[in-house]
Amino acid sequence: MYTVTKRLEVAGAHKLNLDYESKCRNLHGHNWIIYVTCKSKTLDKNGMVVDFKKISNIIKEKLDHQYLNEKFTGFNPTAENIAKWIQSQIPHCVKVQVQESEGNVAIYEADA
């Protein structure tokens, strides 16, 4: 089994739609640190699980320097939902870690 992990950082703003009072209901931004892990039993014709640049392009095009509430109209842009969206976009992706701030990390793992 081959495993690759890509680490990248994106900046973006959002506000959360919550059913309780929270500062996070106000517009604010983060420099998210994102880890994307992909696995495959075989390599593609270029000898890769998935090109690191492809992972970066997919994520940065949608997330970097964006207002996420406008980009994601179908869900509340929490770290958890962002992690799940990333996993659904990247071939062979099995795990995504989204670090929103120093002590806050959300992880989404695909079902085996």
Side-chain angles (χ1 to χ4, degrees):
M1 182 71 66
Y2 298 95
T3 303
V4 296
T5 299
K6 172 71 176 168
R7 179 197 184 276
L8 59 153
E9 188 170 338
V10 297
H14 67 165
K15 60 182 180 179
L16 300 182
N17 301 312
L18 303 171
D19 63 1
Y20 58 91
E21 288 299 318
S22 171
K23 291 181 185 180
C24 294
R25 291 172 65 177
N26 299 319
L27 180 63
H28 64 283
H30 298 283
N31 288 328
W32 280 279
I33 297 172
I34 299 170
Y35 290 88
V36 175
T37 300
C38 301
K39 289 186 177 187
S40 180
K41 290 181 181 180
T42 60
L43 300 177
D44 68 13
K45 64 182 178 183
N46 296 306
M48 300 177 191
V49 173
V50 60
D51 191 319
F52 291 122
K53 187 66 176 168
K54 181 175 184 174
I55 296 170
S56 182
N57 288 345
I58 290 169
I59 294 170
K60 288 190 173 195
E61 180 180 303
K62 184 77 170 191
L63 302 179
D64 198 29
H65 288 83
Q66 300 294 322
Y67 176 43
L68 301 183
N69 294 71
E70 290 178 352
K71 290 291 187 172
F72 297 112
T73 57
F75 62 80
N76 198 18
T78 62
E80 294 88 343
N81 282 329
I82 292 167
K84 186 174 190 305
W85 176 84
I86 291 169
Q87 185 278 327
S88 73
Q89 302 300 302
I90 308 293
H92 307 291
C93 184
V94 295
K95 181 178 178 181
V96 177
Q97 177 177 312
V98 175
Q99 182 173 341
E100 184 174 90
S101 60
E102 183 63 30
N104 299 325
V105 177
I107 297 172
Y108 181 81
E109 294 186 64
D111 293 332

